[in-house]
Amino acid sequence: DTAVSQTPKYLVTQMGNDKSIKCEQNLGHDTMYWYKQDSKKFLKIMFSYNNKELIINETVPNRFSPKSPDKAHLNLHINSLELGDSAVYFCASSATPDMGEKLFFGSGTQLSVL
Amino acid sequence: DQQVKQNSPSLSVQEGRISILNCDYTNSMFDYFLWYKKYPAEGPTFLISISSIKDKNEDGRFTVFLNKSAKHLSLHIVPSQPGDSAVYFCAASATGANNLFFGTGTRLTVIP
């Protein structure tokens, strides 16, 4: 039973399109995140939600909009996709928003923008 | 600005020997450090952590050492097993901060 699941696993799309990535966790955690791993393998936080409220937004373009309908779900919607958005996006959760708390990651979504 | 660095992109070790993965950081405010392991097509999984009040933390075959004066930490795996072959990420955070900084990872290959 997957603890943090995200879909789709692969996403290939054209520039200018709008796409969404879904994430769900069944760990009962209060905090969820989106991380981006770029071509240089840097894992960087994009957003963090605690109990459905946005607590971290790390200078991500407005084209990226997270949505948390409840504390078990954090979806990522991306408008007007650009070539530079190609990356692997990881959803994660933790019991608390403490940055030292261990993270549980999903398996990632490989986004390729053509 | 890369605040956490893993300067060795890859490391190969014979099965049964010790693997030593290194990590350096630049921010002296970092006080909590974590190691994650990542297999292909999977997300990173937590391995071990250490607080800055300690200089060593051990969990089975895995030991993390912290040298605050050198701003350096290392992960020791002994004995190494083929199943340890993965990418290892070092991460660091500061109390009260709202970010966790990751290194770019070291790919460990344990040769049977």
Side-chain angles (χ1 to χ4, degrees):
Chain A
D1 192 20
T2 307
V4 180
S5 58
Q6 58 182 105
T7 55
K9 193 163 182 65
Y10 300 98
L11 190 50
V12 181
T13 187
Q14 300 285 333
M15 273 176 53
N17 283 352
D18 303 337
K19 291 292 178 186
S20 292
I21 307 172
K22 295 185 176 181
C23 179
E24 175 181 1
Q25 55 96 2
N26 63 7
L27 297 167
H29 286 167
D30 285 346
T31 311
M32 296 186 72
Y33 310 80
W34 278 108
Y35 275 82
K36 178 181 179 181
Q37 186 179 32
D38 61 23
S39 57
K40 295 183 180 178
K41 306 303 181 186
F42 285 109
L43 252 176
K44 291 184 180 177
I45 193 169
M46 300 173 68
F47 302 101
S48 171
Y49 271 71
N50 189 51
N51 277 321
K52 301 192 299 175
E53 288 193 21
L54 180 67
I55 56 173
I56 297 174
N57 181 344
E58 283 292 313
T59 60
V60 178
N62 291 339
R63 299 182 294 103
F64 291 78
S65 52
K67 292 282 190 303
S68 183
D70 55 61
K71 72 174 193 176
H73 295 84
L74 180 62
N75 303 321
L76 183 65
H77 189 76
I78 315 170
N79 289 326
S80 304
L81 277 155
E82 300 177 357
L83 293 175
D85 297 332
S86 295
V88 182
Y89 293 84
F90 289 99
C91 177
S93 73
S94 63
T96 75
D98 184 341
M99 278 292 135
E101 190 77 45
K102 69 180 181 183
L103 299 171
F104 292 78
F105 284 89
S107 58
T109 295
Q110 172 87 56
L111 172 64
S112 299
V113 182
L114 307 177
Chain B
D1 182 29
Q2 196 180 343
Q3 299 191 45
V4 177
K5 298 178 184 179
Q6 294 177 257
N7 293 318
S8 299
S10 62
L11 174 69
S12 290
V13 170
Q14 285 291 134
E15 180 178 3
R17 308 294 280 267
I18 185 171
S19 295
I20 300 176
L21 296 98
N22 294 306
C23 178
D24 298 294
Y25 60 96
T26 57
N27 190 338
S28 58
M29 299 300 291
F30 287 152
D31 57 3
Y32 204 78
F33 305 88
L34 308 94
W35 283 93
Y36 286 84
K37 179 168 78 172
K38 184 183 179 305
Y39 293 117
E42 294 183 14
T45 55
F46 172 77
L47 190 57
I48 192 169
S49 62
I50 188 167
S51 160
S52 60
I53 62 172
K54 293 185 170 183
D55 54 19
K56 176 182 173 182
N57 188 26
E58 191 171 353
D59 183 2
R61 297 185 297 113
F62 303 91
T63 303
V64 56
F65 295 92
L66 176 61
N67 182 334
K68 289 184 288 292
S69 60
K71 296 192 182 71
H72 176 84
L73 63 157
S74 60
L75 174 68
H76 292 212
I77 306 173
V78 57
S80 301
Q81 299 174 355
D84 297 329
S85 296
V87 177
Y88 290 78
F89 290 95
C90 169
S93 68
T95 298
N98 63 355
N99 208 340
L100 179 66
F101 293 89
F102 281 85
T104 50
T106 296
R107 180 179 301 278
L108 173 67
T109 302
V110 180
I111 303 163

